[in-house]
Amino acid sequence: MKEFTVGNSQDQVISLFPERVIKRVALGEKILGVMRVGMEFYAFENSCPHRGASLLQANINGQGEIICPLHQYRFDLKTGQVKAGYCRDLEVFPAILTEDGLKITVPDS
Ligand code: FES
């Protein structure tokens, strides 16, 4: 596991991530989508597990699910579990806001 820090203060991170806007974040070899809802952050793989569409243009519904723009498969933002569709789960990563920035943990690849 590798921990990355995005930004260097809580305020900076909040201004970097407008609420409910998916941002592209490169951490080492991995490209993630990262989104903020209130003070909660969600980090997930950038490509849909179905056919690889970019999730940067995905929508979020009221059930906390991310909806792929290509075939509308849905995934739980917290767990990555596929909720509608036939593919593996979305890979999600712990993302925690601290005084020193946003800490995101990714597995070693
Ligand atoms: S590529 Fe995402 S649902 Fe098909």
Side-chain angles (χ1 to χ4, degrees):
M1 292 289 201
K2 224 176 189 174
E3 186 182 86
F4 292 87
T5 304
V6 178
N8 51 31
S9 71
Q10 247 185 31
D11 287 350
Q12 188 198 24
V13 171
I14 286 173
S15 64
L16 282 173
F17 294 93
E19 196 156 358
R20 300 181 81 86
V21 176
I22 300 170
K23 293 281 195 170
R24 176 187 189 276
V25 174
L27 299 179
E29 308 272 289
K30 281 195 186 296
I31 308 290
L32 310 187
V34 177
M35 190 189 67
R36 175 170 78 85
V37 179
M39 298 297 267
E40 300 286 324
F41 283 78
Y42 301 96
F44 45 86
E45 62 183 312
N46 174 42
S47 301
C48 179
H50 178 222
R51 294 274 171 81
S54 169
L55 294 178
L56 297 179
Q57 272 76 48
N59 287 313
I60 311 297
N61 67 14
Q63 282 76 53
E65 296 167 346
I66 183 166
I67 306 164
C68 178
L70 197 54
H71 309 107
Q72 285 72 50
Y73 283 15
R74 291 186 275 115
F75 304 89
D76 185 293
L77 264 176
K78 280 192 181 146
T79 64
Q81 186 184 12
V82 60
K83 294 297 199 172
Y86 301 94
C87 64
R88 68 169 169 81
D89 292 343
L90 182 70
E91 198 176 2
V92 296
F93 308 94
I96 296 170
L97 185 60
T98 72
E99 291 298 328
D100 307 321
L102 179 65
K103 309 276 186 193
I104 303 177
T105 306
V106 297
D108 295 319
S109 48

